[in-house]
Amino acid sequence: MFYFVIFIQTAINTGISIGAILLAGECLQIMYSNLSPSGSLKLYHFIAMVTAVMIALSQFPTFHSLRHINLVSLLLSLGYTFLVVGACIRAGISENAPPRDYSLESSESTRVFNAFTSISIIAAIFGNGILPEIQATLAPPATGKMVKGLSMCYTVIFFTFYSAAVSGYWVFGNKSNSIILKSLMPDEGPSLAPVPVLGLAVIFVLLQLLAIGLVYSQVAYEIMEKKSADVNQGIFSKRNLIPRIILRSLYVVFCGFFAAMLPFFGDINGVVGAVGFIPLDFILPMLLYNMTYKPSKSSIRYWINTSIIIVFTGAGLMGAFSSTRKLVLDAKEFKLFSSDVVD
């Protein structure tokens, strides 16, 4: 069970690190395309730049050393959401408001698959609570700190993700881009919000993505360095510093390479949610509770836990299938190292 959980956590962290590098590269590309519309740089060039920055930032030695970066990331997230929601409201009530279509796919099977993919993406969003859970175990007592951390995490998630999603869908309907800034800055026609506001939002999300990639990668670093580091020597001793630089750099290069090669942002979110967050956050806790405390099989608690396990196992399997299906369908119309992110 220990290795199973570690495997899932590592897969989640790697997937999010790839997604963070991909979106950060996309932010750089958005700024570049507005400053130099006829420029020759492609998306993978910007991903390489982000990867180089992430290699430098990856040398923060421990989770504890990231505490100030976590705080800055929170403030950036709130600032970005405020700007994007305001921009969407302005665009929606302006005379240049885009036509809105809220219709669903005509095929019933496609609607079903999209629904399960969306469930997986929502699971990935709320699964961000994994970080407070990991950090809360570092300093006892863990229970009170974990509840406080999760409460804050879910509150921030609700107000940031949902406000941006609802306002973006209200303005653009089913044509809304997964990167809402691209909808607000269409390839043709004027921007639907003041350029300085959108530019500041791009900078906010770029900086936040660097923080996200750094925080999620730290878990993988901790796992790698349990075998490579010598606890009897200092963190910055040559014995520990050289392996840390090499291993962390290789890991970031690996994530950057896959982000450049396969820029499927929405699909990556769906797969990570289905095969990572759903089992880790909705299935394993109930299973481990039943195994540890052994509630009576006639008790309500036992059957509630069992029902959650069954329902989310089905949702996870369907989500994994639908997300992989969408990834395969998108891959048919895609070229490696493309300059466009696939929604």
Side-chain angles (χ1 to χ4, degrees):
M1 187 61 71
F2 171 79
Y3 288 106
F4 179 67
V5 172
I6 289 296
F7 172 78
I8 293 178
Q9 285 185 344
T10 304
I12 289 172
N13 294 329
T14 303
I16 292 179
S17 298
I18 292 172
I21 292 174
L22 170 59
L23 282 189
E26 177 75 357
C27 288
L28 287 177
Q29 186 186 43
I30 289 173
M31 290 190 288
Y32 174 76
S33 61
N34 280 272
L35 294 173
S36 179
S38 58
S40 60
L41 295 181
K42 305 296 183 183
L43 176 61
Y44 57 84
H45 292 129
F46 299 106
I47 289 176
M49 296 176 194
V50 173
T51 301
V53 174
M54 286 296 299
I55 289 174
L57 293 176
S58 70
Q59 300 311 312
F60 282 93
T62 63
F63 246 137
H64 184 65
S65 62
L66 304 179
R67 61 194 184 280
H68 301 303
I69 292 179
N70 278 339
L71 176 60
V72 172
S73 177
L74 169 62
L75 298 176
L76 289 170
S77 178
L78 296 173
Y80 167 77
T81 303
F82 176 79
L83 292 173
V84 165
V85 171
C88 286
I89 293 174
R90 183 184 184 277
I93 62 177
S94 71
E95 59 182 15
N96 296 322
R100 304 167 195 177
D101 182 4
Y102 301 115
S103 63
L104 301 177
E105 294 282 351
S106 58
S107 169
E108 184 175 351
S109 61
T110 301
R111 292 200 300 269
V112 171
F113 286 131
N114 287 346
F116 279 103
T117 300
S118 300
I119 290 172
S120 301
I121 292 174
I122 292 172
I125 291 170
F126 280 97
N128 282 282
I130 187 177
L131 282 180
E133 290 172 13
I134 292 171
Q135 295 180 57
T137 60
L138 298 181
T143 306
K145 294 179 180 180
M146 188 179 295
V147 171
K148 291 179 182 178
L150 288 173
S151 298
M152 181 178 180
C153 181
Y154 291 137
T155 301
V156 172
I157 286 171
F158 180 81
F159 283 107
T160 54
F161 280 93
Y162 274 88
S163 59
V166 170
S167 59
Y169 186 72
W170 171 69
V171 179
F172 301 104
N174 56 23
K175 301 300 181 183
S176 175
N177 195 291
S178 60
I179 304 171
I180 197 64
L181 290 172
K182 295 186 71 175
S183 296
L184 290 166
M185 304 170 70
D187 293 333
E188 298 179 0
S191 295
L192 299 177
V195 174
V197 171
L198 296 177
L200 186 59
V202 171
I203 294 172
F204 277 9
V205 73
L206 172 62
L207 295 175
Q208 191 206 9
L209 286 166
L210 293 176
I212 290 172
L214 179 60
V215 170
Y216 273 94
S217 297
Q218 196 70 36
V219 180
Y221 301 154
E222 298 276 353
I223 295 171
M224 289 188 297
E225 287 161 18
K226 280 185 177 179
K227 298 294 184 182
S228 65
D230 185 351
V231 296
N232 296 317
Q233 299 191 39
I235 293 177
F236 296 103
S237 65
K238 185 183 293 186
R239 165 64 182 80
N240 289 330
L241 181 61
I242 294 176
R244 182 165 69 243
I245 292 175
I246 294 173
L247 289 174
R248 295 188 180 197
S249 298
L250 289 175
Y251 176 82
V252 175
V253 168
F254 170 82
C255 293
F257 177 78
F258 271 89
M261 185 173 68
L262 302 170
F264 297 95
F265 176 61
D267 298 345
I268 289 175
N269 263 340
V271 172
V272 169
V275 304
F277 283 113
I278 287 181
L280 193 63
D281 282 358
F282 300 100
I283 299 174
L284 282 177
M286 312 305 166
L287 176 63
L288 294 176
Y289 183 93
N290 284 350
M291 292 173 61
T292 302
Y293 294 102
K294 296 179 175 60
S296 171
K297 292 187 178 180
S298 60
S299 66
I300 295 178
R301 181 170 297 179
Y302 174 84
W303 284 108
I304 289 176
N305 287 345
T306 303
S307 300
I308 292 173
I309 292 171
I310 294 172
V311 169
F312 280 98
T313 297
L317 291 173
M318 284 299 299
F321 177 78
S322 60
S323 299
T324 304
R325 170 183 172 274
K326 187 173 185 300
L327 188 64
V328 172
L329 291 175
D330 288 339
K332 290 181 180 180
E333 303 175 359
F334 176 76
K335 295 180 180 180
L336 293 177
F337 299 99
S338 170
S339 192
D340 295 311
V341 173
V342 179
D343 287 336

